[in-house]
Every structure is written in structure tokens, then in C-alpha cells.
Amino acid sequence: MADQQHSYKLIYFNSRGRAEHIRYIFAFAGIDYVDERVPKERWPELKKCMPYGMLPVLEIDGKAIAQSNAVARYLARQHGLAGLDEWESMQCDVLVDTLGDLKQGISQYRHEEDPFKKEEKKAKLWKETIPFYLNKFEQNVAENGGYSVGTTTTWTDFLFAVALENFEQIFGSAALENYPALRGLKQRVHEIPAIAEWLGKRPQTEF
Amino acid sequence: MADQQHSYKLIYFNSRGRAEHIRYIFAFAGIDYVDERVPKERWPELKKCMPYGMLPVLEIDGKAIAQSNAVARYLARQHGLAGLDEWESMQCDVLVDTLGDLKQGISQYRHEEDPFKKEEKKAKLWKETIPFYLNKFEQNVAENGGYSVGTTTTWTDFLFAVALENFEQIFGSAALENYPALRGLKQRVHEIPAIAEWLGKRPQTEF
């Protein structure tokens, strides 16, 4: 474990979800932290104490910070995971928010209650939205030789690795068949020794 | 106009929307840029050429960059509008994404087609979601003596000023009655000479 000046407690549910890329950053940087996984029955009470009533929250030296990507960006900048310069940091941010747009679309489909609209949304996602974004991402990663930004590992790679894993889980393992560069990115991240070690020991959860 | 090494073209619709805080940054920093406002009828054709089929896009020396907040953060970091250190930059990011969550909720209400569900969403927004977030923001700005982060003007102040203006427009000018610190933040931003000058000359649009 690296020497560290700060204490960290990551508070989330017992799931990968919006916290897993933060856990990857901690693993990669060799940072010790408390990986607190809140049981569902404790959440209604705890929710009232969280800055905006949502998780994940990272406690840094006891101060509770909300918003997974704000937290991840902060940690990434401190540990060489935000690109080589401000231009690359911006490229990371562009991809993070664009992936966020795609995830938002998928989430709206998953939460749609009307069965007719749900089918409609699924068809549009599957035929238009997902291929549109994945083709863009694929081309970008292929051009960068396997990296989402530049020529170094960034927190955006971690976010993609986590998202692609979820994506295969929701839509089946063939879902990335036509996206060899994205599969390659995920594999490269999973083979980083510190990440591989984390994958081997992390709690197994559905999402 | 300040000396500048780069050329900028901001591409958006003829509206404040997701581009106005970027225009505030340009105004504040005295940066020259082309403020291209795409007529609706040109959009279907132009859409195909945009990085992810969406606006705003900022062309920096001819390179098209998507995602308004990624662009705004990049410009803000270069022009002293991202807080005094990385900790404050993170606070900016937390507020930007939290305000994004609230705007997402309002947008889902505005786009709801089912009149019954629309009323339901409006009631929940009005009674729960909006007061929850605005009270948090109000308390934060009051504690910081009128700033959203720290003790200096940040791009988050600009994002709030724009959002609060839209908010009063959607829900009426009394909507911020109970939030004096937020009204004060908006007024302070609007009175910054470079911003006041921009407000005086910008195209008048509905949103």
C-alpha cells in the first residue's frame, strides 16, 4: 500500500454501479480505503445524512463528497489518470459525459413502466442509439491504439471497462461482437495487475 | 479584447440553453469567438457532422469538441474560473453534476407527453425535488458569502446564474422568493462588468 496522507471511505450499495470506476482508481493507485456497502434496509435512514440524498459518496478525511464523476476526476488528476495535459483531461471529460448520455438512455428504457413504450425504446436503443455511440467509441479507441484518450491509461478507460462489462451483462456477451477495440480496451484494463487483483477479490454482485 | 493564441467557434442554436455559461466564460475572460447560431432548418444536415450529433460544440482551432460542461471546465481552468485549487475544482464539479441532476428532472417533466403523468411529475418536482435541491444550493451559497464554491467567481457561478434565470422563466419570477442567496448570486454574476456588457448585447431568445 502506498503512503497516503488522506483517509477515504467510499459509501455505496453492494454493487458496482456508479462506484466501481472509483474502486478501480483506488486499486490502480494503491490507495487504502474503506469500501462501505450499505444494505438496502439501512439506506432510507442514511439517505438523510448524504449531501444530496444519493450515493456514491466519498468521505475524504471525514468530509462527504457527492457525485461519482466529480470524485473520480479529482482522484484521477492526483494519480496520473487524467491524461497528459489539460487538452487530454478535456477529452476524458467529453467521453465521460457522452457515455453518461448513453447510460441515461439505457436507464430510461430499463425504468419505463409502459410495456408498449418499453418495446419502442428498446428497439430505438438497439437499432439507433447504441450502435451510434458504440461505433463512435470504437473508432476513437481504435485510432488511439486501445486507449480512450491519448496514449496512456485514464479514468475514462476505467469508466468504459465498467460500462462495457455492464453492457454485456444487460444485452448478452455477443453485444460487443462488432466492437473489437472496445473489447480490447476492457481486456487491457482488466489485465492491469492492480485491477486484475481487485477483480479477483471484489464482492460478486449482479450490477 | 485580450491577446489570444487560439481560435474559437461556439456552435449552438439561437438560444441560451446549454451554451450560455460558455458564452459567460468567454465574456469574462475577454476571449474573442464566433457565436454561431444554427437555424433549426440547417440542423438536420449539420447534425451529421457533429462529433456526437448534438450541440453545443466548441471548435478550438478547427477541432470540434462536444459536451458543454467538458468544454466549459477546460476554458474555466485556463482562465482562473475553476476555484483556487483541485479541492475547489472538485466542488465546482459536484455542483455542476448536481445541478445537472435537477435539470434532468425538470426536463423529464417538460417532455412528458401523458397529461396525467405530467401533472404528477410537476407536483413532485414542485413539492419535493426543487425545494430539496434549491435549499441545499441556498445553504451552500449563503455559507460561502455569495459564491457557489470558495471565495472567488467560478464557472459554477455562471452555470447557476444561467439556470436560475431559466428557472424563473419557467416557474415565474416568484420562484426564487425563498432563496435570497441564490438571487444574490445571480445578481452578483449579472453585475460583473464583462457579463453585464454581454447581457446588454446578447441576442434576446426565449430560452
Side-chain angles (χ1 to χ4, degrees):
Chain A
M1 206 57 68
D3 276 348
Q4 59 183 66
Q5 297 180 299
H6 300 284
S7 74
Y8 299 101
K9 189 204 289 190
L10 180 62
I11 308 172
Y12 195 55
F13 304 106
N14 185 27
S15 112
R16 301 190 301 276
R18 290 177 184 269
E20 192 66 11
H21 62 306
I22 300 171
R23 299 188 184 112
Y24 279 33
I25 296 172
F26 281 137
F28 184 89
I31 296 172
D32 199 10
Y33 69 108
V34 177
D35 186 24
E36 181 161 321
R37 293 166 183 251
V38 178
K40 293 276 184 218
E41 62 273 18
R42 263 194 60 213
W43 175 232
E45 197 50 40
L46 187 69
K47 185 177 170 68
K48 298 171 197 161
C49 312
M50 292 296 110
Y52 297 101
M54 289 201 281
L55 296 181
V57 156
L58 182 65
E59 283 186 11
I60 306 179
D61 299 330
K63 285 180 204 123
I65 312 291
Q67 291 295 349
S68 59
N69 288 332
V71 160
R73 182 180 298 108
Y74 173 76
L75 295 171
R77 292 187 72 94
Q78 294 184 316
H79 297 283
L81 285 168
L84 298 178
D85 54 24
E86 291 292 326
W87 181 263
E88 287 193 4
S89 291
M90 174 178 64
Q91 306 287 347
C92 289
D93 292 349
V94 169
L95 287 170
V96 166
D97 282 354
T98 303
L99 189 58
D101 289 342
L102 172 57
K103 288 195 278 191
Q104 179 71 27
I106 295 175
S107 163
Q108 279 173 5
Y109 146 69
R110 295 181 71 206
H111 290 97
E112 177 62 59
E113 290 167 9
D114 179 319
F116 180 73
K117 280 194 182 161
K118 190 163 180 137
E119 270 312 301
E120 258 188 0
K121 283 188 179 167
K122 186 178 182 176
K124 187 165 192 243
L125 264 181
W126 201 246
K127 282 185 201 152
E128 291 176 32
T129 316
I130 289 173
F132 173 81
Y133 281 104
L134 291 194
N135 280 323
K136 297 271 185 187
F137 296 148
E138 171 74 14
Q139 192 185 341
N140 175 55
V141 172
E143 282 171 9
N144 290 334
Y147 296 89
S148 58
V149 172
T151 55
T152 60
T153 296
T154 55
W155 67 294
T156 316
D157 291 340
F158 295 169
L159 201 70
F160 269 101
V162 171
L164 294 170
E165 183 179 2
N166 288 338
F167 188 75
E168 286 180 305
Q169 200 166 330
I170 298 172
F171 296 107
S173 60
L176 295 179
E177 219 164 37
N178 298 325
Y179 307 102
L182 294 180
R183 287 203 316 275
L185 180 149
K186 188 184 123 194
Q187 191 179 342
R188 181 179 60 74
V189 169
H190 282 190
E191 288 173 355
I192 294 170
I195 304 292
E197 190 192 333
W198 167 244
L199 295 179
K201 72 182 186 192
R202 70 179 174 182
Q204 295 304 308
T205 57
E206 194 187 359
F207 285 105
Chain B
M1 206 56 66
D3 277 348
Q4 60 183 66
Q5 298 179 301
H6 300 285
S7 74
Y8 298 100
K9 190 205 286 190
L10 180 63
I11 308 172
Y12 195 54
F13 304 106
N14 184 28
S15 117
R16 300 189 303 276
R18 290 177 184 271
E20 192 66 9
H21 62 306
I22 301 172
R23 298 188 184 113
Y24 279 34
I25 296 172
F26 281 138
F28 184 89
I31 296 172
D32 200 11
Y33 69 107
V34 177
D35 186 24
E36 182 162 320
R37 292 166 184 252
V38 178
K40 293 275 182 218
E41 62 272 19
R42 264 192 61 213
W43 175 233
E45 197 51 38
L46 186 69
K47 186 177 170 68
K48 299 170 197 163
C49 312
M50 292 296 110
Y52 297 101
M54 290 200 282
L55 295 181
V57 156
L58 182 65
E59 282 186 12
I60 305 179
D61 299 330
K63 285 180 204 122
I65 311 292
Q67 290 296 349
S68 59
N69 287 334
V71 160
R73 182 180 298 109
Y74 173 75
L75 295 171
R77 290 186 73 93
Q78 293 184 317
H79 298 283
L81 285 167
L84 297 179
D85 53 23
E86 290 293 326
W87 180 263
E88 287 193 4
S89 291
M90 174 177 65
Q91 306 288 348
C92 289
D93 292 348
V94 170
L95 287 171
V96 167
D97 282 353
T98 304
L99 189 57
D101 289 343
L102 172 57
K103 288 196 277 191
Q104 179 71 27
I106 294 175
S107 163
Q108 279 172 5
Y109 146 69
R110 295 181 71 207
H111 290 97
E112 177 61 59
E113 291 167 7
D114 179 319
F116 180 73
K117 281 193 183 164
K118 190 162 180 139
E119 271 310 302
E120 259 188 359
K121 282 186 179 169
K122 187 177 181 178
K124 187 165 192 244
L125 264 181
W126 202 245
K127 282 184 202 152
E128 292 176 30
T129 316
I130 289 174
F132 173 81
Y133 281 105
L134 290 195
N135 281 323
K136 297 271 186 187
F137 296 148
E138 171 75 11
Q139 192 185 343
N140 175 55
V141 171
E143 281 171 9
N144 290 333
Y147 296 90
S148 57
V149 172
T151 55
T152 61
T153 295
T154 55
W155 67 294
T156 315
D157 291 338
F158 295 170
L159 201 70
F160 270 101
V162 171
L164 294 170
E165 183 179 2
N166 289 337
F167 188 76
E168 287 181 304
Q169 200 166 330
I170 299 172
F171 296 105
S173 59
L176 295 179
E177 220 166 36
N178 299 325
Y179 307 102
L182 294 179
R183 288 203 315 275
L185 180 150
K186 189 185 122 191
Q187 190 179 343
R188 181 179 60 74
V189 169
H190 283 191
E191 288 174 355
I192 294 171
I195 304 292
E197 190 193 333
W198 167 244
L199 295 179
K201 73 182 184 190
R202 69 178 174 182
Q204 294 305 306
T205 58
E206 195 188 356
F207 284 106

